[in-house]
mmCIF file of all heavy atoms in Angstrom:
data_model
loop_
_atom_site.group_PDB
_atom_site.id
_atom_site.type_symbol
_atom_site.label_atom_id
_atom_site.label_comp_id
_atom_site.label_asym_id
_atom_site.label_seq_id
_atom_site.Cartn_x
_atom_site.Cartn_y
_atom_site.Cartn_z
ATOM 1 N N LYS A 151 72.229 -99.815 -59.320
ATOM 2 C CA LYS A 151 72.609 -98.751 -58.371
ATOM 3 C C LYS A 151 72.060 -97.421 -58.880
ATOM 4 O O LYS A 151 72.792 -96.594 -59.449
ATOM 5 C CB LYS A 151 74.131 -98.728 -58.235
ATOM 6 C CG LYS A 151 74.646 -98.047 -56.983
ATOM 7 C CD LYS A 151 76.143 -98.299 -56.773
ATOM 8 C CE LYS A 151 76.710 -97.461 -55.654
ATOM 9 N NZ LYS A 151 76.373 -97.959 -54.314
ATOM 10 N N ALA A 152 70.766 -97.231 -58.702
ATOM 11 C CA ALA A 152 70.085 -96.057 -59.242
ATOM 12 C C ALA A 152 69.894 -94.997 -58.161
ATOM 13 O O ALA A 152 69.975 -95.280 -56.969
ATOM 14 C CB ALA A 152 68.738 -96.462 -59.835
ATOM 15 N N ILE A 153 69.627 -93.775 -58.608
ATOM 16 C CA ILE A 153 69.492 -92.655 -57.670
ATOM 17 C C ILE A 153 68.086 -92.535 -57.086
ATOM 18 O O ILE A 153 67.813 -91.584 -56.356
ATOM 19 C CB ILE A 153 69.915 -91.317 -58.330
ATOM 20 C CG1 ILE A 153 69.090 -91.038 -59.592
ATOM 21 C CG2 ILE A 153 71.406 -91.328 -58.650
ATOM 22 C CD1 ILE A 153 69.289 -89.635 -60.171
ATOM 23 N N SER A 154 67.228 -93.485 -57.344
ATOM 24 C CA SER A 154 65.873 -93.458 -56.764
ATOM 25 C C SER A 154 65.962 -93.939 -55.318
ATOM 26 O O SER A 154 65.492 -95.008 -54.958
ATOM 27 C CB SER A 154 64.924 -94.334 -57.581
ATOM 28 O OG SER A 154 65.445 -95.634 -57.712
ATOM 29 N N LEU A 155 66.564 -93.120 -54.470
ATOM 30 C CA LEU A 155 67.015 -93.552 -53.144
ATOM 31 C C LEU A 155 66.134 -93.086 -51.992
ATOM 32 O O LEU A 155 66.539 -93.184 -50.833
ATOM 33 C CB LEU A 155 68.461 -93.076 -52.916
ATOM 34 C CG LEU A 155 69.511 -93.773 -53.797
ATOM 35 C CD1 LEU A 155 70.850 -93.038 -53.719
ATOM 36 C CD2 LEU A 155 69.698 -95.225 -53.372
ATOM 37 N N LEU A 156 64.945 -92.586 -52.282
ATOM 38 C CA LEU A 156 64.110 -92.094 -51.183
ATOM 39 C C LEU A 156 63.898 -93.140 -50.077
ATOM 40 O O LEU A 156 64.064 -92.823 -48.891
ATOM 41 C CB LEU A 156 62.773 -91.562 -51.724
ATOM 42 C CG LEU A 156 61.825 -90.975 -50.677
ATOM 43 C CD1 LEU A 156 62.460 -89.790 -49.952
ATOM 44 C CD2 LEU A 156 60.514 -90.534 -51.326
ATOM 45 N N PRO A 157 63.561 -94.391 -50.411
ATOM 46 C CA PRO A 157 63.388 -95.368 -49.317
ATOM 47 C C PRO A 157 64.684 -95.568 -48.523
ATOM 48 O O PRO A 157 64.646 -95.802 -47.315
ATOM 49 C CB PRO A 157 62.996 -96.658 -50.036
ATOM 50 C CG PRO A 157 62.542 -96.242 -51.392
ATOM 51 C CD PRO A 157 63.297 -94.997 -51.727
ATOM 52 N N ASN A 158 65.822 -95.477 -49.216
ATOM 53 C CA ASN A 158 67.106 -95.667 -48.543
ATOM 54 C C ASN A 158 67.404 -94.537 -47.569
ATOM 55 O O ASN A 158 67.859 -94.782 -46.442
ATOM 56 C CB ASN A 158 68.242 -95.742 -49.575
ATOM 57 C CG ASN A 158 68.013 -96.824 -50.615
ATOM 58 O OD1 ASN A 158 67.023 -96.789 -51.335
ATOM 59 N ND2 ASN A 158 68.909 -97.787 -50.683
ATOM 60 N N ILE A 159 67.160 -93.303 -47.980
ATOM 61 C CA ILE A 159 67.471 -92.198 -47.061
ATOM 62 C C ILE A 159 66.490 -92.181 -45.892
ATOM 63 O O ILE A 159 66.870 -91.846 -44.772
ATOM 64 C CB ILE A 159 67.523 -90.826 -47.779
ATOM 65 C CG1 ILE A 159 66.190 -90.457 -48.416
ATOM 66 C CG2 ILE A 159 68.645 -90.794 -48.807
ATOM 67 C CD1 ILE A 159 66.115 -89.029 -48.903
ATOM 68 N N LEU A 160 65.241 -92.581 -46.155
ATOM 69 C CA LEU A 160 64.283 -92.666 -45.035
ATOM 70 C C LEU A 160 64.719 -93.769 -44.065
ATOM 71 O O LEU A 160 64.612 -93.606 -42.842
ATOM 72 C CB LEU A 160 62.862 -92.929 -45.555
ATOM 73 C CG LEU A 160 62.235 -91.788 -46.384
ATOM 74 C CD1 LEU A 160 60.885 -92.226 -46.955
ATOM 75 C CD2 LEU A 160 62.068 -90.503 -45.569
ATOM 76 N N ALA A 161 65.240 -94.877 -44.600
ATOM 77 C CA ALA A 161 65.696 -95.982 -43.748
ATOM 78 C C ALA A 161 66.914 -95.554 -42.916
ATOM 79 O O ALA A 161 66.983 -95.818 -41.713
ATOM 80 C CB ALA A 161 66.026 -97.205 -44.608
ATOM 81 N N ARG A 162 67.874 -94.887 -43.565
ATOM 82 C CA ARG A 162 69.064 -94.441 -42.834
ATOM 83 C C ARG A 162 68.686 -93.441 -41.741
ATOM 84 O O ARG A 162 69.232 -93.460 -40.634
ATOM 85 C CB ARG A 162 70.081 -93.786 -43.773
ATOM 86 C CG ARG A 162 71.046 -94.758 -44.425
ATOM 87 C CD ARG A 162 71.993 -95.433 -43.424
ATOM 88 N NE ARG A 162 72.934 -94.537 -42.824
ATOM 89 C CZ ARG A 162 74.035 -94.078 -43.413
ATOM 90 N NH1 ARG A 162 74.337 -94.491 -44.617
ATOM 91 N NH2 ARG A 162 74.818 -93.231 -42.806
ATOM 92 N N THR A 163 67.738 -92.588 -42.047
ATOM 93 C CA THR A 163 67.302 -91.592 -41.070
ATOM 94 C C THR A 163 66.576 -92.271 -39.916
ATOM 95 O O THR A 163 66.761 -91.905 -38.749
ATOM 96 C CB THR A 163 66.414 -90.539 -41.775
ATOM 97 O OG1 THR A 163 67.160 -90.003 -42.871
ATOM 98 C CG2 THR A 163 66.021 -89.413 -40.822
ATOM 99 N N TYR A 164 65.799 -93.292 -40.241
ATOM 100 C CA TYR A 164 65.123 -94.092 -39.205
ATOM 101 C C TYR A 164 66.167 -94.703 -38.261
ATOM 102 O O TYR A 164 66.004 -94.698 -37.035
ATOM 103 C CB TYR A 164 64.299 -95.191 -39.874
ATOM 104 C CG TYR A 164 63.660 -96.184 -38.919
ATOM 105 C CD1 TYR A 164 62.393 -95.949 -38.387
ATOM 106 C CD2 TYR A 164 64.325 -97.356 -38.560
ATOM 107 C CE1 TYR A 164 61.804 -96.857 -37.513
ATOM 108 C CE2 TYR A 164 63.749 -98.270 -37.686
ATOM 109 C CZ TYR A 164 62.493 -98.014 -37.165
ATOM 110 O OH TYR A 164 61.923 -98.922 -36.304
ATOM 111 N N ALA A 165 67.253 -95.228 -38.838
ATOM 112 C CA ALA A 165 68.325 -95.820 -38.022
ATOM 113 C C ALA A 165 68.865 -94.786 -37.031
ATOM 114 O O ALA A 165 68.965 -95.047 -35.821
ATOM 115 C CB ALA A 165 69.450 -96.346 -38.909
ATOM 116 N N VAL A 166 69.179 -93.602 -37.544
ATOM 117 C CA VAL A 166 69.763 -92.559 -36.693
ATOM 118 C C VAL A 166 68.773 -92.155 -35.596
ATOM 119 O O VAL A 166 69.150 -91.953 -34.436
ATOM 120 C CB VAL A 166 70.193 -91.347 -37.555
ATOM 121 C CG1 VAL A 166 70.561 -90.157 -36.692
ATOM 122 C CG2 VAL A 166 71.353 -91.761 -38.462
ATOM 123 N N GLU A 167 67.511 -92.089 -35.957
ATOM 124 C CA GLU A 167 66.474 -91.736 -34.966
ATOM 125 C C GLU A 167 66.326 -92.828 -33.900
ATOM 126 O O GLU A 167 65.749 -92.588 -32.846
ATOM 127 C CB GLU A 167 65.121 -91.535 -35.667
ATOM 128 C CG GLU A 167 65.054 -90.264 -36.485
ATOM 129 C CD GLU A 167 63.837 -90.227 -37.423
ATOM 130 O OE1 GLU A 167 63.123 -91.252 -37.537
ATOM 131 O OE2 GLU A 167 63.627 -89.188 -38.047
ATOM 132 N N HIS A 168 66.802 -94.037 -34.225
ATOM 133 C CA HIS A 168 66.694 -95.145 -33.277
ATOM 134 C C HIS A 168 68.060 -95.527 -32.719
ATOM 135 O O HIS A 168 68.332 -96.697 -32.455
ATOM 136 C CB HIS A 168 65.973 -96.341 -33.924
ATOM 137 C CG HIS A 168 64.511 -96.067 -34.118
ATOM 138 N ND1 HIS A 168 64.038 -95.290 -35.152
ATOM 139 C CD2 HIS A 168 63.430 -96.423 -33.378
ATOM 140 C CE1 HIS A 168 62.722 -95.195 -35.057
ATOM 141 N NE2 HIS A 168 62.317 -95.877 -33.989
ATOM 142 N N ASN A 169 68.923 -94.532 -32.619
ATOM 143 C CA ASN A 169 70.205 -94.714 -31.932
ATOM 144 C C ASN A 169 71.059 -95.803 -32.597
ATOM 145 O O ASN A 169 71.753 -96.563 -31.930
ATOM 146 C CB ASN A 169 69.926 -95.058 -30.459
ATOM 147 C CG ASN A 169 71.186 -95.034 -29.622
ATOM 148 O OD1 ASN A 169 72.133 -94.307 -29.944
ATOM 149 N ND2 ASN A 169 71.216 -95.837 -28.566
#
Side-chain angles (χ1 to χ4, degrees):
Chain A
K151 200 169 171 77
I153 57 171
S154 54
L155 291 168
L156 182 60
N158 304 60
I159 61 169
L160 294 174
R162 273 294 293 283
T163 305
Y164 174 89
V166 170
E167 288 167 353
H168 289 78
N169 190 28

